[in-house]
């Protein structure tokens, strides 16, 4: 229902940095005709994504990357309020089995 009301469109671009385990993430979103762009830096260690401050120091409660059978997907779990489980895919369409696995994880 939310996709019919807000018509969301999200593009996520992940770029590795020169320093190992550091990544820039650019999120572009269009919701109900409004566009936005946010750039964040993350540190990846042991399947956990930490926010990074201006001094490249990791902080806060990390998002956890979950295992998935989808070869083109990343599943991220956020354990702070609000709790969010997100699946990112390179493809526009996923198989029924891939969606069922994500539903089970949720």
């Amino acid at each position: 229902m939310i996709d019919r009301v807000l018509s969301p469109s999200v593009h996520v671009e992940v770029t590795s940095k020169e320093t190992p385990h550091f990544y820039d993430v650019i999120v572009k979103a269009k919701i109900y005709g409004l566009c936005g762009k946010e750039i964040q830096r993350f540190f990846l260690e042991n399947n956990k994504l930490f926010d990074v401050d201006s001094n490249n120091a990791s902080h806060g409660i990390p998002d956890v990357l979950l295992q998935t059978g989808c070869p083109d997907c990343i599943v991220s779990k956020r354990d702070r309020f609000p709790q969010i489980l997100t699946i990112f895919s390179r493809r526009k369409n996923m198989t029924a089995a891939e969606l069922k696995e994500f539903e089970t994880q949720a």
Side-chain angles (χ1 to χ4, degrees), residues 36-50:
K37 177 181 173 182
E38 183 176 333
I39 301 172
Q40 295 179 325
R41 178 166 282 179
F42 290 99
F43 175 73
L44 175 64
E45 183 177 56
N46 298 326
N47 286 343
K48 295 180 182 177
L49 284 175
F50 293 88

Side-chain angles (χ1 to χ4, degrees), residues 6-66:
L6 299 177
S7 300
S9 173
V10 178
H11 174 83
V12 179
E13 189 176 315
V14 180
T15 307
S16 63
K17 303 309 292 175
E18 295 165 359
T19 307
H21 306 285
F22 284 88
Y23 298 87
D24 279 348
V25 177
I26 300 171
V27 179
K28 298 176 186 175
K30 180 179 179 182
I31 300 175
Y32 199 59
L34 301 173
C35 297
K37 177 181 173 182
E38 183 176 333
I39 301 172
Q40 295 179 325
R41 178 166 282 179
F42 290 99
F43 175 73
L44 175 64
E45 183 177 56
N46 298 326
N47 286 343
K48 295 180 182 177
L49 284 175
F50 293 88
D51 289 328
V52 176
D53 64 19
S54 59
N55 297 318
N56 284 339
S58 59
H59 62 86
I61 299 170
D63 291 352
V64 178
L65 299 181
L66 303 178

